[in-house]
Amino acid sequence: MSRAPNYEFQEWWNKQRDKDLELLPQPSSDIPLNSTSFLSVQISSDPTVDKGRARSARQLSWLCLLRFQHIAASIASLTTAFFSLIRTANRRISSPDSAADSSSSRLYRAIKAFLVVVLLLLSIELVAYFKGWHFRPPSVASATEVLGMVGFVYANWLDIRANYLAPPLQSLTNVCIVLFLIQSVDRIALILGCFWIKFRRLKPVALMEYAADAENANADYYPMVLVQIPMCNEREVYQQSIAAVCIQDWPKERMLVQVLDDSDDLDVQLLIKAEVQKWQQRGVHILYRHRLIRTGYKAGNLKSAMSCDYVKDYEFVAIFDADFQPGPDFLKKTIPYFKGNDDLALVQTRWSFVNKDENLLTRLQNINLSFHFEVEQQVNGMFINFFGFNGTAGVWRIKALEECGGWLERTTVEDMDIAVRAHLCGWKFIYLNDVKCLCELPESYEAYKKQQHRWHSGPMQLFRLCFVDILRSKVSLAKKANLIFLFFLLRKLILPFYSFTLFCIILPMTMFMPEAHLPAWVVCYVPGIMSILNILPAPRSFPFIVPYLLFENTMSVTKFNAMISGLFRFGSSYEWIVTKKLGRSSETDLVAFEKESDPLMENISLPRSSSDSGLEELNKLEMSKKTGKSRRNRLYRKELALAFILLTASVRSLLSAQGIHFYFLLFQGFSFLVVGLDLIGEQVS
């Protein structure tokens, strides 16, 4: 039943609607009557009419208090973030946690003091610049009366700078320039020697060659070869190194592989044992050796292995670090050179890098090492039959090792040590530039820095220890001079000294002491020419010539610190840190190794129980391999401090309108900043 309509309410509603329509403005003629414009409300305000309500003093107080609270909260948040950043930076700064930084802390304190001095000098120069004294320097006599106390201080500073500070700085500058030129002449001589070798097509010649099929040849025709693989916690690369050695095309009964494991990680030890057991079951003569006490690092490891009784049955020993992958014909290409050369102690091969294009850091390393192998090693090996052993990818005559005293644990460059001693005993070396052995470059700056520290502190340790032995040796005077002046002093001591002193200390100081002048050709032209010469062996790297020049100067602080620590026997000079490897090539190469090894092992019957246990152990331990950890960059304080020094000096250079010096300081400062913030290469966990 529907409800009856309420006519009284409808009549009232109509009246109210008519009143409201009279109050609204009439619609224009162009707007239809059925439009909904009558629903809009027009609000007008009369400025003469008071709003009625104004904000009270209490409301304003609360509003101000609220805004102050917001400001205080923002300041507190920024302060918390700032201190959090400082704490994070402090955790990531390369602090003296290890022995490697014991001397580094001394150098850092000196650099920090230098930074304070540079900032103070820049403040003085800015005051003088804005007062107009920069273009018309005041004299001491007139400064007090005309310019006041500040002018008097600045005038006295100019007098002290010109008469007492600039002359010794200029003398040091001249000494470094002379050293720079001598080292440049040495580089040019090496390049000319390399060109002569290429032009005349000179290379060592072997008196014999081995047959293509070593398994079917007469085994007595092949000498007994011992192959050593020293390693320490090499979880990422142990498989590829063992596999590459075990598939050598050499009679199995004439080769013994020693896996010399110094690992202190139990899981890594078990993984390597399982890998050795797998190759034992395939018929390879391979042994696993582990030392309980890791004394002498790699030298102690090799010395311990050479003390085994069965070593006397072998004539040669080939050494490969854990990340090296020699080709199957490595022994066939190196052993023949010993035939008929009874005074030959070492055959060294070239390194080839599987990850040279991985990032900018590996590209720059490839430039340096290409010059080292293509030029330095090849020229020295061809003309004087001596060079520093690279510690791996080489074959030694065991008789030569025993005659020169064997492996010694007195330095961290045991390879260079034994090479120098063998050279002093009259043995000769051969370098094979066309025989390459694959290996891996460090991809993080931290790993590269530790490697360079060891490579530059060790030679200075060795120089102190063998200097008297060189003088007393029976080798010719020319060989003594080559060892002392070229091999040690010029290439191991002078190079890091002048590069750090000239470009990181003297150049910034000459900006604040213009009386001591550093010519533009020393800053730009000669380093540019040297960089071009260094990059010639790696022509594909020419686009990276400017980063290479800047990075080499940036690395000078690490090399200088290492040289000082080795020369003066600081604790860091005897520290050995295994270079971090990532095993870039292991996944693909292991498959190839397995395929190549199958034809060699297809006729060998394996005990099933032993094989099953070995594979079961291997599969179990493979699950314990490191998973990808989060990686973060570190902060390197020496590099950051030097970045601020160079950038501060670039500001001073800008004030005096020195073009080439300004650009060099600016770009070099930014390169130090990039390295100090660990923005080059892979980051480490």
Side-chain angles (χ1 to χ4, degrees):
M1 184 176 180
S2 60
R3 185 177 179 181
N6 190 346
Y7 295 102
E8 294 181 1
F9 176 80
Q10 186 68 31
E11 184 178 359
W12 176 83
W13 174 262
N14 292 333
K15 291 179 179 179
Q16 292 297 326
R17 185 182 62 182
D18 294 335
K19 290 181 179 179
D20 293 336
L21 289 174
E22 292 177 359
L23 295 174
L24 290 174
Q26 295 297 324
S28 59
S29 58
D30 56 345
I31 300 178
L33 293 176
N34 58 355
S35 174
T36 57
S37 60
F38 64 90
L39 296 177
S40 61
V41 180
Q42 182 176 1
I43 302 175
S44 59
S45 60
D46 190 355
T48 60
V49 180
D50 188 14
K51 292 183 178 179
R53 274 193 173 184
R55 291 178 178 174
S56 62
R58 186 174 182 180
Q59 288 176 325
L60 291 174
S61 300
W62 280 106
L63 182 61
C64 293
L65 181 61
L66 182 62
R67 291 186 176 178
F68 281 132
Q69 287 179 344
H70 284 309
I71 294 173
S74 301
I75 294 175
S77 177
L78 291 174
T79 305
T80 304
F82 175 75
F83 282 108
S84 176
L85 180 63
I86 294 298
R87 286 194 298 270
T88 302
N90 188 50
R91 286 196 303 268
R92 297 189 180 185
I93 280 181
S94 180
S95 56
D97 297 329
S98 63
D101 285 327
S102 59
S103 63
S104 177
S105 60
R106 299 184 182 94
L107 181 60
Y108 172 67
R109 288 196 293 268
I111 293 174
K112 189 166 60 173
F114 184 42
L115 175 60
V116 173
V117 171
V118 166
L119 291 174
L120 179 62
L121 294 179
L122 180 62
S123 302
I124 295 174
E125 295 298 332
L126 286 174
V127 171
Y129 181 82
F130 288 112
K131 287 184 173 292
W133 302 338
H134 187 64
F135 299 103
R136 182 176 293 179
S139 62
V140 178
S142 61
T144 306
E145 301 176 357
V146 179
L147 303 176
M149 183 56 66
V150 177
F152 177 75
V153 172
Y154 182 70
N156 279 275
W157 158 244
L158 294 181
D159 184 63
I160 294 172
R161 188 178 77 183
N163 297 324
Y164 301 101
L165 298 180
L169 180 62
Q170 185 65 60
S171 300
L172 180 60
T173 302
N174 296 335
V175 170
C176 288
I177 291 175
V178 171
L179 296 178
F180 185 20
L181 293 178
I182 293 175
Q183 196 269 337
S184 301
V185 170
D186 176 60
R187 287 295 173 99
I188 294 173
L190 290 173
I191 288 290
L192 293 177
C194 184
F195 280 144
W196 181 255
I197 292 174
K198 298 295 183 183
F199 177 72
R200 297 296 301 269
R201 298 182 180 179
L202 303 176
K203 65 178 183 178
V205 178
L207 299 181
M208 59 167 294
E209 290 184 2
Y210 286 108
D213 188 4
E215 293 297 328
N216 298 326
N218 185 7
D220 295 336
Y221 190 59
Y222 294 82
M224 298 287 285
V225 178
L226 180 67
V227 182
Q228 296 177 333
I229 312 176
M231 57 178 62
C232 180
N233 296 325
E234 306 285 2
R235 183 189 292 263
E236 292 80 8
V237 295
Y238 72 94
Q239 283 180 299
Q240 64 192 36
S241 59
I242 294 176
V245 168
C246 288
I247 65 172
Q248 284 294 306
D249 188 11
W250 198 261
K252 302 305 173 188
E253 63 273 17
R254 311 293 289 179
M255 181 180 74
L256 174 66
V257 180
Q258 285 182 320
V259 179
L260 311 177
D261 184 25
D262 266 2
S263 303
D264 54 9
D265 188 330
L266 182 60
D267 288 344
V268 177
Q269 295 177 27
L270 295 176
L271 284 168
I272 298 174
K273 283 182 181 178
E275 185 70 15
V276 170
Q277 183 183 20
K278 180 180 74 174
W279 287 101
Q280 285 175 343
Q281 294 162 1
R282 295 184 173 187
V284 178
H285 293 177
I286 181 171
L287 298 176
Y288 175 83
R289 286 179 52 86
H290 179 265
R291 297 192 302 162
L292 296 178
I293 302 176
R294 190 192 173 207
T295 57
Y297 303 112
K298 182 180 176 181
N301 199 359
L302 295 172
K303 181 180 180 180
S304 174
M306 294 299 293
S307 65
C308 298
D309 292 335
Y310 54 80
V311 173
K312 65 179 181 294
D313 298 328
Y314 293 85
E315 187 176 357
F316 304 104
V317 56
I319 303 172
F320 301 100
D321 283 349
D323 60 316
F324 277 72
Q325 306 162 41
D329 57 351
F330 180 87
L331 294 178
K332 282 188 172 181
K333 289 183 176 179
T334 53
I335 298 296
Y337 289 91
F338 290 96
K339 184 71 174 178
N341 293 325
D342 295 335
D343 58 350
L344 180 62
L346 168 67
V347 174
Q348 174 72 60
T349 63
R350 182 172 180 170
W351 298 0
S352 180
F353 311 107
V354 297
N355 60 339
K356 61 183 179 181
D357 297 325
E358 190 66 30
N359 54 46
L360 179 60
L361 180 61
T362 58
R363 291 177 185 272
L364 300 180
Q365 291 179 69
N366 180 55
I367 296 173
N368 254 342
L369 291 173
S370 295
F371 182 86
H372 172 70
F373 287 106
E374 184 81 19
V375 180
E376 288 183 328
Q377 297 283 77
Q378 188 171 206
V379 171
N380 291 328
M382 181 59 63
F383 293 111
I384 61 177
N385 299 119
F386 169 73
F387 47 83
F389 175 46
N390 299 127
T392 178
V395 181
W396 277 90
R397 190 188 297 271
I398 294 180
K399 179 183 177 181
L401 291 178
E402 294 172 348
E403 184 178 314
C404 65
W407 299 102
L408 298 182
E409 306 168 6
R410 57 182 183 172
T411 71
T412 57
V413 284
E414 74 294 326
D415 46 7
M416 184 182 295
D417 185 5
I418 201 166
V420 170
R421 286 186 281 116
H423 180 58
L424 294 178
C425 291
W427 291 95
K428 295 181 180 180
F429 302 164
I430 283 180
Y431 172 73
L432 302 179
N433 192 56
D434 55 348
V435 180
K436 298 180 180 180
C437 188
L438 289 174
C439 63
E440 183 179 328
L441 291 167
E443 297 183 15
S444 69
Y445 177 69
E446 183 179 11
Y448 179 63
K449 183 177 181 180
K450 292 176 180 178
Q451 181 196 70
Q452 292 300 304
H453 186 277
R454 187 176 77 247
W455 286 4
H456 286 82
S457 66
M460 290 298 99
Q461 306 169 26
L462 181 60
F463 180 63
R464 287 188 300 99
L465 295 172
C466 70
F467 178 71
V468 177
D469 295 333
I470 295 174
L471 296 179
R472 293 176 178 175
S473 65
K474 297 180 181 180
V475 299
S476 64
L477 185 61
K479 291 184 177 180
K480 292 180 182 180
N482 173 70
L483 273 175
I484 294 175
F485 295 107
L486 291 181
F487 187 77
F488 281 113
L489 290 181
L490 184 60
R491 297 167 186 167
K492 303 296 188 297
L493 188 147
I494 290 177
L495 177 59
F497 170 77
Y498 87 76
S499 58
F500 173 74
T501 306
L502 191 63
F503 296 110
C504 299
I505 303 298
I506 293 178
L507 178 59
M509 287 304 298
T510 55
M511 296 298 101
F512 296 98
M513 300 180 189
E515 294 83 1
H517 180 61
L518 186 62
W521 58 268
V522 177
V523 177
C524 180
Y525 305 120
V526 174
I529 295 173
M530 291 299 103
S531 298
I532 293 174
L533 295 180
N534 289 348
I535 215 169
L536 285 178
R540 292 180 55 191
S541 302
F542 263 99
F544 304 96
I545 185 170
V546 174
Y548 170 73
L549 172 60
L550 297 175
F551 182 70
E552 280 301 292
N553 290 335
T554 304
M555 284 303 300
S556 64
V557 60
T558 298
K559 297 176 182 179
F560 177 81
N561 175 61
M563 182 267 293
I564 292 296
S565 65
L567 192 61
F568 296 102
R569 304 177 64 179
F570 293 135
S572 62
S573 61
Y574 291 95
E575 183 184 36
W576 180 289
I577 299 177
V578 178
T579 304
K580 179 66 178 176
K581 307 172 186 71
L582 301 178
R584 289 291 186 184
S585 59
S586 59
E587 299 299 331
T588 56
D589 288 344
L590 277 176
V591 177
F593 290 150
E594 294 291 340
K595 289 181 179 179
E596 290 187 42
S597 64
D598 287 342
L600 299 175
M601 311 300 175
E602 60 184 1
N603 297 324
I604 299 176
S605 59
L606 303 179
R608 181 172 180 80
S609 59
S610 176
S611 177
D612 288 345
S613 63
L615 291 175
E616 181 181 356
E617 182 182 11
L618 180 62
N619 292 331
K620 178 181 177 181
L621 291 171
E622 284 291 341
M623 301 301 295
S624 68
K625 279 192 173 183
K626 275 193 291 187
T627 57
K629 291 186 177 180
S630 60
R631 300 176 181 272
R632 65 183 186 181
N633 61 315
R634 300 188 66 181
L635 302 178
Y636 298 95
R637 53 187 186 177
K638 293 192 300 294
E639 286 80 357
L640 290 175
L642 284 168
F644 294 133
I645 289 173
L646 294 172
L647 292 175
T648 302
S650 69
V651 175
R652 174 64 180 88
S653 177
L654 184 63
L655 295 179
S656 57
Q658 296 185 11
I660 194 68
H661 296 76
F662 166 73
Y663 289 114
F664 183 87
L665 288 166
L666 181 65
F667 291 127
Q668 191 65 70
F670 277 120
S671 67
F672 267 103
L673 189 63
V674 168
V675 172
L677 295 175
D678 198 11
L679 299 179
I680 184 172
E682 295 289 334
Q683 296 175 352
V684 296
S685 58

